[in-house]
Amino acid sequence: MFTGLIEEVGRIHQIERKGRSLLLTIAAKRVLEDAKTGDSIAVNGVCLTVTNRWNDRFTVDVVPETVARSTLQRLQPGSRVNLERALRADGRFGGHIVAGHVDAVGQIRQILPDENARVITIQAQSEIMRYIVEKGSIAVDGISLTVMDVSDVSFRVSVIPHTAGESTAEDFAIGQPVNLEVDVLGKYVERLLSTKNGDMHTGLTFAKLQQYGY
């Protein structure tokens, strides 16, 4: 589990393409302080497993499913990437619950200055827009951000200078694809409310609420 608070911006050192999979070598420093083989590190919001490490870089395997569902397939040597180690049990929880499982790839449609911030409009698929709510949380390339407002096809977030400077958000450009992970709590709630057992609906319904006096 991650928080969406970026610890370091790394750089792609090498990419080895193996059919539909990838082997990435990423140059980094801070996330390697206590990292070991088998640990999880989020790369642009994608949870990946360290397969080897040195003092200044590490490798991760990217399976075909992850390649197809994320922007990692667009990386090139030299690309900057957001890095975050998995949350320690005794660590501070400063962002929101981020699993590192990308739901969809969105696209940046507009970037506007707003005094000390930048307001970014991101277009997303309708399948995930229903999970995005005003003042809710969303991970954009692994960055925990608060949703300003929502339309039928897009949402807006405001990025402060500190967040931009500590992540790849300062590189965001119109037309750029970005990894999106919605708040997992919303998906669990939807699943529980729509659960069916055979022909009997076992989730929450208006009829059930009325039955119990609501």
Side-chain angles (χ1 to χ4, degrees), residues 21 42 46 70-71 75 78 90 93 103 120 122 143 149 152 168 173 205:
S21 64
V46 181
S70 72
T71 64
L75 294 175
D90 61 348
F93 199 146
D103 290 299
I120 301 174
I122 301 174
I143 307 166
D149 50 42
D152 291 338
T168 62
T205 64

Side-chain angles (χ1 to χ4, degrees), residues 89-109:
D90 61 348
R92 292 182 181 272
F93 199 146
H96 74 282
I97 296 174
V98 178
H101 304 153
V102 173
D103 290 299
V105 172
Q107 186 176 57
I108 296 176
R109 304 301 295 174

Side-chain angles (χ1 to χ4, degrees), residues 66-80:
T66 303
V67 172
R69 286 182 171 267
S70 72
T71 64
L72 297 186
Q73 59 185 293
R74 297 177 172 88
L75 294 175
Q76 299 294 329
S79 295
R80 285 161 33 96

Side-chain angles (χ1 to χ4, degrees), residues 3-176:
T3 68
L5 300 185
I6 304 306
E7 294 187 276
E8 177 182 7
V9 175
R11 197 173 289 274
I12 299 298
H13 177 73
Q14 183 177 341
I15 301 176
E16 185 177 345
R17 302 183 184 276
K18 302 178 177 182
R20 294 182 295 118
S21 64
L22 301 174
L23 175 65
L24 303 179
T25 303
I26 303 171
K29 183 177 179 180
R30 184 175 181 184
V31 297
L32 293 176
E33 290 174 355
D34 61 352
K36 60 184 182 300
T37 301
D39 284 354
S40 295
I41 294 180
V43 179
N44 276 0
V46 181
C47 178
L48 298 173
T49 301
V50 176
T51 56
N52 209 340
R53 72 174 298 277
W54 298 267
N55 291 332
D56 60 349
R57 64 193 188 279
F58 66 99
T59 60
V60 291
D61 285 307
V62 187
V63 299
E65 170 72 4
T66 303
V67 172
R69 286 182 171 267
S70 72
T71 64
L72 297 186
Q73 59 185 293
R74 297 177 172 88
L75 294 175
Q76 299 294 329
S79 295
R80 285 161 33 96
V81 288
N82 295 318
L83 302 176
E84 182 191 354
R85 288 169 289 186
L87 178 66
R88 287 172 42 142
D90 61 348
R92 292 182 181 272
F93 199 146
H96 74 282
I97 296 174
V98 178
H101 304 153
V102 173
D103 290 299
V105 172
Q107 186 176 57
I108 296 176
R109 304 301 295 174
Q110 187 180 59
I111 301 175
L112 295 174
D114 185 17
E115 295 189 1
N116 66 335
R118 289 199 302 167
V119 176
I120 301 174
T121 302
I122 301 174
Q123 183 177 335
Q125 301 168 3
S126 58
E127 290 78 10
I128 71 162
M129 282 302 303
R130 68 176 182 269
Y131 301 115
I132 302 174
V133 297
E134 184 175 343
K135 306 308 178 188
S137 296
I138 190 164
V140 179
D141 271 357
I143 307 166
S144 175
L145 295 171
T146 300
V147 178
M148 288 179 58
D149 50 42
V150 181
S151 73
D152 291 338
V153 296
S154 65
F155 63 95
R156 297 196 302 162
V157 293
S158 181
V159 179
I160 63 174
H162 175 78
T163 300
E166 296 294 318
S167 70
T168 62
E170 65 180 2
D171 304 331
F172 283 172
I174 294 174
Q176 178 181 334

